[in-house]
Amino acid sequence: MATLQKIRSKGPLLVIILGLALFAFIAEEAMRSIQSASNESRQQVGEIYGEGVSVHEFQNLVDEYLDVIKFTSGNATFNDEQVAQIRDQVWNTYVNNQLIEKECEKLGLTVTDAEVQAIITTGNSPLLMQTPFRNEQTGRFDANLLKKFLADYESMKANLAQMPAEYIDYYQSLYNYWMFIEKSLRQDCL
């Protein structure tokens, strides 16, 4: 009975302690929500013309470039120094492309799909000479081989169950490589 009397006499103190604990809990949650807003800025690798470049977007560009290098060189592994060099190269290329795009936007310059198709049809770009779509006799880029590949790729996507896995992987890698070349053609033309 004496213990209950002691607890009752300390009632206002217990209410204050519980109130402070509840306030601390609410304050902690408020701080977490403020930190999550500031974490957005931490998720950026840089800023170009006031627009942030997210870690995710940059990593996708690095992965795309690594896949291109793997496809063209056959090298499937890279050491830390090579990956760091590739990251630097991707960043420099990205910044240059953003600067060029911004200046071209100010001037009203764009590259249309028809212009890209004309470059592909003529086959004069050095980028096209790096693709496997070259004529065996002349060694020059052959737009017909590219068209055949793209048609084969579309039919392969429709019949995935009938294709061996290694063909699917190769066609997907080659398609991704072509998408990179096409994007690079557009950027070079700009």
Side-chain angles (χ1 to χ4, degrees):
M1 191 76 156
T3 307
L4 285 175
Q5 188 59 30
K6 272 188 166 179
I7 292 174
R8 283 186 189 150
S9 68
K10 306 283 185 192
L13 181 63
L14 285 175
V15 169
I16 291 172
I17 291 173
L18 286 174
L20 287 175
L22 184 59
F23 175 76
F25 176 74
I26 292 171
E28 180 185 8
E29 287 302 314
M31 290 301 292
R32 282 188 186 166
S33 67
I34 291 170
Q35 283 179 345
S36 69
S38 69
N39 278 342
E40 246 179 60
S41 65
R42 287 188 209 142
Q43 294 294 322
Q44 294 181 351
V45 291
E47 191 173 295
I48 303 170
Y49 284 115
E51 295 179 23
V53 180
S54 73
V55 172
H56 182 68
E57 178 184 0
F58 180 68
Q59 188 59 46
N60 286 342
L61 292 171
V62 170
D63 290 343
E64 177 186 43
Y65 196 65
L66 284 170
D67 289 343
V68 167
I69 293 172
K70 287 175 188 176
F71 183 79
T72 56
S73 71
N75 185 8
T77 58
F78 302 96
N79 62 34
D80 291 340
E81 184 179 321
Q82 290 170 321
V83 171
Q85 288 174 348
I86 290 169
R87 285 180 186 277
D88 289 343
Q89 186 176 2
V90 168
W91 177 253
N92 290 334
T93 302
Y94 183 77
V95 169
N96 287 335
N97 289 337
Q98 292 299 310
L99 293 173
I100 290 169
E101 284 179 22
K102 193 71 159 181
E103 291 302 314
C104 288
E105 186 178 308
K106 287 179 187 175
L107 296 171
L109 299 174
T110 60
V111 177
T112 65
D113 291 339
E115 289 173 316
V116 173
Q117 287 304 314
I119 293 169
I120 292 170
T121 303
T122 59
N124 292 333
S125 173
L127 280 172
L128 295 174
M129 297 307 291
Q130 298 172 10
T131 67
F133 308 113
R134 292 187 307 267
N135 187 311
E136 290 180 17
Q137 285 86 18
T138 64
R140 294 186 47 85
F141 175 78
D142 189 348
N144 292 326
L145 288 175
L146 172 64
K147 289 176 187 174
K148 182 181 179 330
F149 164 74
L150 293 174
D152 290 347
Y153 178 76
E154 289 301 319
S155 68
M156 181 207 67
K157 280 182 17 183
N159 301 318
L160 285 176
Q162 299 171 354
M163 296 291 289
E166 58 271 1
Y167 285 148
I168 294 171
D169 291 342
Y170 177 75
Y171 269 70
Q172 188 62 50
S173 296
L174 185 55
Y175 181 77
N176 291 343
Y177 177 66
W178 173 250
M179 290 292 101
F180 177 81
I181 293 293
E182 194 171 308
K183 181 173 76 170
S184 298
L185 279 173
R186 188 175 297 275
Q187 290 167 342
D188 281 354
C189 186
L190 191 59

